[in-house]
Every structure is written in C-alpha cells, then in structure tokens.
Amino acid sequence: MVDPETGERLDDGLVLWFPAPRSATGEDVGEFHLHGSRAVLAAVMQVLGRLGLRVAEPGEFTRRAFLNGKLDLLQAEAIADLAAAETEAQRRQALRQLDGDLGSLYRGWSQRLTRILAHLEAAIDFPDEDLPPEIEDRILGETERLIAEIERHLADGHRGERLRDGIMVAIIGPPNAGKSSLLNKISRREAAITSPIAGTTRDIVEVAIDLQGYPVVLADTAGLRDSEDVVEREGLRRTLRRAEEAEIRLFVFDARCPEEARGAAAWPGPDTILVANKVDLLRSPEAAGRAVMPGLDPGIHGDTSLGQGVNGRDKPGHDEGGTQERVVPISALTGEGIDALLSALGERVAHTYRIEAPVLTRARHRQALEECAQCLRRALGACLPELRAEDFRLALRSLGHITGAVDVEDLLDVIFRDFCIGK
Ligand code: GDP
C-alpha cells in the first residue's frame, strides 16, 4: 500500500473487494487487512482522509445494511445484541433473531392483515353492493384469530426480554440469616461474573453472573422484619417489591431456627428455593434436618431431608425443574452446599428460559404489538367500515414499526445509538 501523492510505502497488506449489491451493506465495500499498529493506522487513515473517506459512526455499517434492505430492524437489533452478548443463552437468542424467525412471524401477520384490509377496502369502494355476510364473517374471524395469536405471543412471561437484560433472582430472608454472605460467596466463586451493576439503591446490591450460560442478576435485599424505623421500613418495602418482581427467590434462613424455617415455608409464590444456611454450626447434616423439620410441612416441601438429595434429583418421578419448593442446606461461611444451590438454581432457570419458538426481546417490540392488538380490538367494535379500515391501517403500521417496513426514520437514531464502532 503506497501513498498516492508521495509514493511512500505505508504497509504490506491484503485488500478484499465486495462489489455491490452483494456485500454486507449492499454497497461497494473494500476491506484492508493491515498490520494494525497505531503508526500504520495513522498513516493509512491520513491518506484515506485525503481521498474524502472517514471513520464509520457506531452502528453505521448495520444502519446502511438496513437502509439498503439487507436486514430488517429486528435483525439489526440482533447484531447489537450479538455484539453485547455475555452468555451462551444470550448469544443463541441473538443468533435466532438474526436468522429472521421473529421478522418472518411479524411479516406473516402483516400479510394477513393486508389481506383483511384489502377485502374491507373493496367493500368500501363499492358501497352499493353490500358486503356479503360471509366476507364480513371471514374478516371478523380472521381478526379474532390474529388478536389471539398476538396475545399468546405477548403472554410469554417476558422471557426474551429477561434473557437480554438478565434474569432477576432476589435473595430474601430474615436479617442475619446470611444473605449478604451468600451473595459474596457466590460472586467470588463464580468464575464468570459478567459485570457489577452500578446505581443500585442503598438497600439492594446486585451482582450479574453467568449461570450455566444464562445471565442472572442476583439481588441481595434488606432483611424481612417489622420495624418502626423509617429507613428500615423503606428498605423492607423495596425488598418486597424486588422479591415480587424477581423471577426466582432464594429464601435464606438460619438452619438452627425453626421459627425462621416456618417463615420461609410460609413465603408465598411458587418460584422460591428455600436455603437453610449456617449448617456448619450444626453438628451434622442429620442434625440440620432435625433443626428445620419442625417448621416445614413435609407434605408441601418434598425434600426436607437436608443431608441428601438436595435437589430432589435422587427421587424417582421428581418434577424436573418444576415449581415445587425444596430446601437446600448450605453454609455461606464454608461454602458447603453452594454448588448444589447453584445447580438447583441453574435447573430452575434453564427450565423456564430454554426458548425454542421466536420470542420478543425488547420492550419496543412489545409496545408495538400491544398497540397492534389494541387497534384490532377496536376494529372489531367499529361501527363504520371506514373506521374499521383505519384501525386495520394503524394496526399494520404498528407491526411495520417493529421490522422497519414503514417509515421509521425517527426510530433509527435511538436504535443505532447503542451500537459499537465497526458494526
Ligand atoms: P444478612 O443480614 O442476612 O445479610 O446476614 P449476613 O450475611 O450479614 O450474616 C450475618 C452473620 O451471620 C454474619 O456475622 C455472618 O458472618 C454470619 N454467617 C453468615 N452465614 C454463615 C454461615 O454459613 N455460617 C456461620 N457460622 N455464620 C454465618
């Protein structure tokens, strides 16, 4: 590679030429493979600058690919997700979206909606001829089916979005049960801590971990106890809210304390793993079992025999990954039982988040689909065909916003802002 003005040699390298339209962006693309040192880069960039070229903005390649029809918006977002993926499950979800499954689903709905609209508009254009009742029935029937499909798709428990953002696991329990110690133990033990989360409240400390390929955010919360103290009460309120919002709860209690064990057993909600902590303070695992047995109803909690079969896996006919509550004995001090707890948690997470069908991954998509369903419901109740047609057009527009099939200029800056340079 030489400077065209001075003839000075800049580097030896390889140039790949991808002619339009069969390049990633759909434009002519030249790729230089150089000895990427700062000096080589500076010299080459300087020459290229003189030729009127500039460095790409973050996300610019993907944006151009989208504008040239190489990708839909969902695929462009999938590239951002793939670049940001920290765990296996996130990588797989992003790749699935990049394959275009989600786009195909929404385009299929758009096509059906377009057909409905075409039928209706034909009827409006010929007002003298009444719409045959069977066509009216077909329009209404198809609209109802579409609404049902969209609603089913929306009722996915936010799994795709959670997989993108991290699955929330709240550590709750009475004060001094060992919640913070447990969080510390897990965060030090897990080799693959993905990132500490900044900006948490004073009462809730969060740590992001990679649990068997799934992104999990563990939140340590204030202890559950009645208090007159205003600050403590606020902490408790936040704890309860976090516990409610979390997908899974780890209820930690002192294994020596039947009172706390009873409190744990009474905690409502199916996705709760009971954690009997401080077993090192008991003489033996058998003693641990006896210590908590009085507080637990063996009828509900299938596995209260703390010494063995922590996860119920030894049991025939065990409901794999189901919502049955179990007790896992641990010591946050010595680390005993932590692996069994992580594997119980991992099983629960994998059971819920093993995703096969295309799922929603962003609040943006959810909002557009909710709007779409709302327009369709309004269309069903519309008293004039013209109003009904307008509702169908608005529903189509909402769907088009997701894939970028309608004008989304105002959205693009927001979507591509999060990309990194070179994508
Ligand atoms: P939290 O209020 O639930 O967050 O409880 P902490 O993690 O602050 O623990 C309360 C006290 O119990 C601390 O003094 C810990 O060192 C102690 N502790 C926590 N876990 C264990 C354990 O497994 N064994 C023993 N012996 N002490 C523990």
Side-chain angles (χ1 to χ4, degrees):
M1 178 173 258
V2 289
D3 184 327
E5 273 178 24
T6 63
E8 189 193 350
R9 190 151 158 252
L10 303 174
D11 193 11
D12 282 337
L14 171 72
V15 180
L16 295 177
W17 182 246
F18 301 91
R22 299 185 62 187
S23 66
T25 61
E27 302 162 333
D28 283 336
V29 175
E31 226 175 67
F32 297 123
H33 291 241
L34 304 167
H35 295 100
S37 70
R38 210 173 295 171
V40 167
L41 271 183
V44 173
M45 291 304 290
Q46 211 238 349
V47 169
L48 293 177
R50 257 193 269 135
L51 297 175
L53 302 176
R54 65 165 171 80
V55 176
E57 315 235 337
E60 188 168 353
F61 288 107
T62 314
R63 188 174 184 145
R64 285 173 181 240
F66 166 70
L67 292 173
N68 290 322
K70 289 278 167 181
L71 300 168
D72 64 26
L73 260 195
L74 288 165
Q75 288 170 312
E77 285 172 328
I79 289 178
D81 288 351
L82 199 54
E86 288 182 325
T87 73
E88 279 295 284
Q90 288 172 321
R91 179 182 64 76
R92 279 196 296 267
Q93 172 161 289
L95 272 180
R96 216 170 12 237
Q97 188 166 321
L98 190 57
D99 282 345
D101 294 6
L102 209 49
S104 309
L105 179 69
Y106 299 156
R107 270 189 295 276
W109 286 341
S110 285
Q111 281 159 7
R112 283 163 63 188
L113 209 43
T114 308
R115 264 199 305 276
I116 298 178
L117 186 59
H119 277 126
L120 190 60
E121 278 176 340
I124 295 170
D125 286 346
F126 300 102
D128 296 341
E129 299 161 36
D130 268 352
L131 193 60
E134 64 271 18
I135 295 202
E136 165 98 6
D137 286 352
R138 207 184 307 155
I139 288 177
L140 295 182
E142 178 69 346
T143 307
E144 277 166 3
R145 272 191 298 280
L146 262 178
I147 294 173
E149 281 175 45
I150 294 172
E151 282 176 347
R152 234 186 350 262
H153 182 65
L154 281 167
D156 66 349
H158 297 254
R159 288 183 306 159
E161 290 141 287
R162 281 180 177 149
L163 208 52
R164 255 191 92 233
D165 301 336
I167 299 152
M168 295 299 309
V169 174
I171 304 178
I172 54 172
N176 288 321
K179 299 179 294 299
S180 310
S181 308
L182 173 61
L183 184 73
N184 287 339
K185 199 79 192 171
I186 293 178
S187 26
R188 261 180 282 126
R189 182 174 279 238
E190 275 292 297
I193 292 177
T194 50
S195 55
I197 293 181
T200 50
T201 70
R202 56 185 284 194
D203 316 284
I204 297 181
V205 180
E206 294 181 326
V207 174
I209 62 169
D210 176 340
L211 186 66
Q212 298 166 24
Y214 291 88
V216 165
V217 179
L218 281 169
D220 176 23
T221 60
L224 298 166
R225 81 168 153 208
D226 287 336
S227 168
E228 292 300 310
D229 184 279
V230 181
V231 177
E232 235 179 80
R233 286 238 300 269
E234 174 58 19
L236 181 65
R237 195 183 63 77
R238 292 183 190 180
T239 291
L240 290 173
R241 202 179 56 211
R242 177 54 62 95
E244 242 166 57
E245 287 167 357
E247 276 73 67
I248 298 169
R249 284 148 286 273
L250 301 182
F251 196 116
V252 182
F253 63 95
D254 187 329
R256 299 165 301 172
C257 180
E259 181 64 26
E260 288 190 11
R262 266 193 293 278
W267 186 258
D271 287 317
T272 304
I273 297 175
L274 305 182
V275 183
N277 189 31
K278 307 195 186 183
V279 290
D280 58 289
L281 295 177
L282 305 165
R283 261 166 293 115
S284 65
E286 286 72 28
R290 276 201 300 283
V292 298
M293 282 298 261
L296 295 172
D297 172 2
I300 306 172
H301 309 286
D303 192 11
T304 49
S305 50
L306 297 186
Q308 46 82 37
V310 155
N311 206 14
R313 271 172 302 186
D314 310 346
K315 289 188 176 176
H318 163 67
D319 168 23
E320 268 246 50
T323 53
Q324 178 193 8
E325 290 163 30
R326 306 178 193 117
V327 178
V328 183
I330 64 155
S331 167
L333 193 71
T334 66
E336 179 189 341
I338 300 285
D339 284 341
L341 176 61
L342 288 176
S343 99
L345 184 59
E347 242 179 54
R348 185 82 51 113
V349 167
H351 180 262
T352 314
Y353 289 90
R354 200 175 292 124
I355 292 172
E356 304 302 338
V359 288
L360 278 169
T361 53
R362 287 177 192 240
R364 181 181 86 78
H365 312 162
R366 180 172 296 282
Q367 195 187 344
L369 283 177
E370 276 166 357
E371 274 168 24
C372 175
Q374 198 183 354
C375 293
L376 292 179
R377 277 191 293 267
R378 208 169 45 218
L380 281 181
C383 50
L384 286 172
E386 287 80 2
L387 292 179
R388 182 171 285 166
E390 183 57 17
D391 285 331
F392 283 136
R393 272 191 288 272
L394 289 172
L396 259 175
R397 205 181 146 65
S398 303
L399 272 182
H401 261 121
I402 307 181
T403 54
V406 296
D407 178 26
V408 284
E409 194 54 42
D410 50 333
L411 268 182
L412 295 186
D413 287 337
V414 180
I415 289 175
F416 288 99
R417 194 179 47 203
D418 299 336
F419 275 68
C420 45
I421 292 172
K423 288 285 173 303

